[in-house]
């Protein structure tokens, strides 16, 4: 198998799609909407990844669908699998087991067709506790990176960070592991700056400076809207860009689907067509985006459409 750096050097790399929302739709994950005020970051186990031990066959099946669609990278379902977040869902003591199982299942589906990336995301502690949470955040992200390295992921994807300060901590933890890193921020509630106030171009420079092999954006917007963020990053850095847009329609005033009134219980009504992912594949090729996949709402049909777009543009 080629490394992620070799794949990136050879041209656009096709990633996978979103897991938690797709598995929620299939009945295997609880959206948590009945337990907390969604979007506040204050609730319990909203969209947590215990499906890796509760319903491993469902996760394996979804990974396999992405491989069939053409994914060359599978993300282990370790999103929101830090000890603190899992504790709020009642799975804190299973942190090691869940991270290890998620990597093992992804590897089984990947075989020699795809690389396996460990997914690391925001802890939500900055949103709940403010900057004083930094040391706790470092401890939690450091622990998860160590678990993923021990489970022998090929590289790390740091994703869905709303704040650059928390992303910096994640990059610091990732550097210690020696694993290659793709780093993507999620822009909410604005496209023009992170929630701690940093513009995309500056974010890109900082993430490259902190060692990321590719930088970009994931989640929250549909492809066409995310392109604005990626173009702003493009002028600032020379490394490959990475993009994993959501498959939900947002608006100029609310350019992030998790702030739309339809989240999470009416998402079907703002689902975009897979054709928009095919168009994004074309655009990605033209604009030199090196890593493309999908995030929330993007199942295998979307990844197949994205693959078609990437190929059509050659
Ligand atoms: Zn997402």
């Amino acid at each position: 198998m080629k490394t992620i750096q070799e794949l990136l050097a050879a041209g656009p790399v096709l990633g996978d799609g979103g897991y938690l929302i797709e598995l929620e739709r299939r009945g295997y994950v609880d959206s948590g909407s009945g337990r907390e005020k969604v979007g506040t970051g204050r609730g319990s186990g909203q969209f947590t990844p215990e499906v890796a031990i509760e319903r491993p066959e469902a996760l394996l099946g979804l990974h396999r669908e992405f491989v069939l669609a053409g994914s060359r990278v599978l993300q282990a379902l370790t999103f929101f699998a830090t000890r603190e977040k899992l504790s709020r869902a009642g799975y804190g003591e299973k942190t090691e087991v869940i991270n290890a199982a998620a990597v093992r299942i992804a590897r089984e589906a990947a075989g020699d067709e795809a690389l396996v990336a460990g997914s690391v995301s925001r802890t939500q502690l900055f949103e709940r506790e403010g900057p004083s949470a930094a040391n706790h955040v470092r401890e939690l992200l450091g622990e998860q990176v160590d678990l993923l390295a021990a489970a022998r992921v090929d590289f790390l994807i740091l994703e869905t960070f709303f704040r650059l300060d928390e992303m910096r901590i994640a990059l610091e933890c990732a550097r210690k592991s020696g694993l290659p890193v793709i780093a993507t921020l999620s822009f909410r509630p604005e496209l023009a700056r992170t929630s701690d106030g940093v513009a995309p171009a500056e974010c890109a420079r900082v993430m490259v400076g902190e060692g990321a092999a590719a930088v970009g954006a994931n989640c929250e917007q549909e492809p066409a809207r995310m392109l604005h963020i990626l173009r702003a990053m493009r002028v600032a850095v020379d490394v490959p860009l990475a993009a994993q847009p959501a498959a939900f329609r947002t608006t100029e005033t609310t350019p992030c689907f998790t702030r739309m009134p339809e989240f999470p219980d009416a998402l079907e009504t703002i689902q975009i067509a897979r054709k928009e992912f095919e168009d994004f594949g074309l655009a990605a090729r033209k604009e030199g985006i090196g890593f493309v996949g999908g995030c929330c709402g993007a199942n295998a049909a979307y990844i197949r459409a994205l693959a078609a777009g990437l190929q059509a543009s050659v």
Side-chain angles (χ1 to χ4, degrees):
M1 279 298 288
K2 290 191 167 126
T3 64
I4 187 61
Q5 294 100 323
E6 288 167 341
L7 289 179
L8 286 169
V13 182
L14 184 61
D16 57 7
Y19 286 89
L20 285 171
I21 284 184
E22 183 64 19
L23 289 166
E24 191 264 348
R25 286 177 171 178
R26 297 179 184 191
Y28 299 109
V29 167
D30 187 345
S31 76
S33 67
R35 297 197 297 271
E36 64 174 301
K37 183 151 171 28
V38 172
T40 62
R42 282 192 292 275
S44 53
Q46 181 197 341
F47 286 116
T48 44
E50 60 273 14
V51 65
I53 57 170
E54 300 287 4
R55 297 288 176 183
E57 72 287 354
L59 181 54
L60 180 64
L62 184 52
H63 279 310
R64 286 194 163 131
E65 291 169 28
F66 287 129
V67 173
L68 279 172
S71 298
R72 289 296 163 260
V73 168
L74 292 181
Q75 295 187 72
L77 182 50
T78 51
F79 179 88
F80 276 165
T82 52
R83 186 175 299 277
E84 195 276 341
K85 175 75 178 172
L86 285 173
S87 295
R88 280 185 280 137
Y91 287 90
E93 288 172 10
K94 298 273 173 70
T95 304
E96 291 87 349
V97 180
I98 289 171
N99 278 278
V103 175
R104 191 172 58 244
I105 293 164
R107 185 69 73 189
E108 185 179 341
D112 54 12
E113 313 236 2
L115 295 175
V116 172
S119 162
V120 177
S121 177
R122 72 184 188 283
T123 59
Q124 301 178 319
L125 288 182
F126 273 95
E127 286 82 4
R128 295 208 311 271
E129 299 172 10
S132 66
N135 284 337
H136 192 192
V137 166
R138 185 173 289 108
E139 193 182 298
L140 290 165
L141 295 178
E143 178 187 37
Q144 195 189 5
V145 167
D146 288 348
L147 291 175
L148 294 171
R152 305 189 66 81
V153 295
D154 296 307
F155 70 103
L156 296 171
I157 296 181
L158 311 181
E159 59 172 2
T160 325
F161 284 84
F162 291 162
R163 302 175 57 97
L164 184 64
D165 55 6
E166 190 172 18
M167 173 61 93
R168 275 179 188 269
I169 294 174
L171 282 161
E172 178 194 320
C173 296
R175 265 200 315 278
K176 288 183 189 151
S177 74
L179 291 165
V181 177
I182 292 179
T184 59
L185 290 157
S186 295
F187 286 78
R188 186 186 92 160
E190 292 178 68
L191 296 185
R193 57 189 63 82
T194 57
S195 66
D196 57 339
V198 188
E202 177 62 10
C203 288
R205 276 191 286 270
V206 168
M207 293 190 288
V208 171
E210 300 279 340
V215 299
N218 79 286
C219 208
E220 294 295 351
Q221 296 86 30
E222 65 271 51
R225 200 177 300 281
M226 182 175 281
L227 263 181
H228 300 289
I229 301 168
L230 299 165
R231 286 173 183 152
M233 289 185 168
R234 173 77 292 161
V235 296
V237 293
D238 292 326
V239 302
L241 290 186
Q244 297 189 94
F248 299 115
R249 174 96 48 232
T250 62
T251 65
E252 192 113 335
T253 45
T254 308
C256 47
F257 83 88
T258 59
R259 288 280 173 91
M260 296 284 283
E262 290 85 356
F263 178 79
D265 294 325
L267 283 175
E268 289 78 5
T269 63
I270 55 168
Q271 182 82 42
I272 63 167
R274 70 189 74 170
K275 175 72 168 61
E276 294 188 33
F277 269 64
E278 184 174 348
D279 296 343
F280 187 60
L282 275 163
R285 185 69 119 185
K286 278 193 211 127
E287 309 220 7
I289 298 170
F291 181 86
V292 281
C295 200
C296 299
N299 64 18
Y302 287 75
I303 299 308
R304 201 180 288 276
L306 186 52
L310 287 173
Q311 282 154 17
S313 58
V314 172

